[in-house]
Amino acid sequence: EVQLVESGGGSVQAGGSLRLSCTASGSTFDASDMAWYRQAPGNECELVSAISSDGRTYRADSVRGRFTISQDNAKNTVYLQMNSLKPQDTAVYYCATDPRYSGSWCPDPQADFGYWGQGTQVTVSA
């Protein structure tokens, strides 16, 4: 079984930056796609960014040009660098091992889409 632990969340003013980290234990994950999701109060779960095992990346339109996903296989860690943060980026951010989830709630309540971390809160004030 894989355990994912996120860190790096916090509070920041609009225009600021944060870097989220997600470290996997229990198994190597270099052969796995990785994803960052987020859920804000009143909103559905949203796929923010993903990276494939061969390094291809995806970013949602809402974060393109501001967020960058990367991974360090030697450290079993995936990162989400978030720049030019906006109040609408406020959410709980989750890392997961499957970028295909499209349900309303984060994390996947049915546990059908890989492993998920516990989430880390990001709050952006105006």
Side-chain angles (χ1 to χ4, degrees):
E1 184 170 326
V2 174
Q3 293 83 41
L4 303 176
V5 178
E6 301 104 335
S7 61
S11 297
V12 65
Q13 291 188 328
S17 297
L18 287 172
R19 188 177 79 157
L20 305 183
S21 300
C22 172
T23 300
S25 62
S27 177
T28 58
F29 76 115
D30 59 300
S32 173
D33 298 343
M34 294 296 294
W36 285 98
Y37 294 84
R38 68 184 179 187
Q39 185 152 32
N43 289 2
E44 295 194 345
C45 185
E46 176 189 15
L47 176 63
V48 175
S49 188
I51 186 166
S52 68
S53 57
D54 61 358
R56 289 172 293 143
T57 61
Y58 162 83
R59 280 167 289 186
D61 288 343
S62 58
V63 305
R64 189 164 291 127
R66 301 187 298 122
F67 290 12
T68 302
I69 191 170
S70 62
Q71 65 181 15
D72 184 337
N73 289 336
K75 296 182 179 180
N76 281 358
T77 299
V78 62
Y79 304 97
L80 186 67
Q81 178 67 44
M82 306 186 295
N83 298 328
S84 302
L85 282 160
K86 304 176 180 180
Q88 52 264 45
D89 294 318
T90 295
V92 178
Y93 285 71
Y94 299 87
C95 69
T97 59
D98 195 326
R100 300 173 299 162
Y101 178 66
S102 60
S104 298
W105 299 102
C106 292
D108 169 24
Q110 303 300 322
D112 289 334
F113 288 87
Y115 298 96
W116 291 66
Q118 82 287 354
T120 186
Q121 176 71 46
V122 171
T123 302
V124 185
S125 58

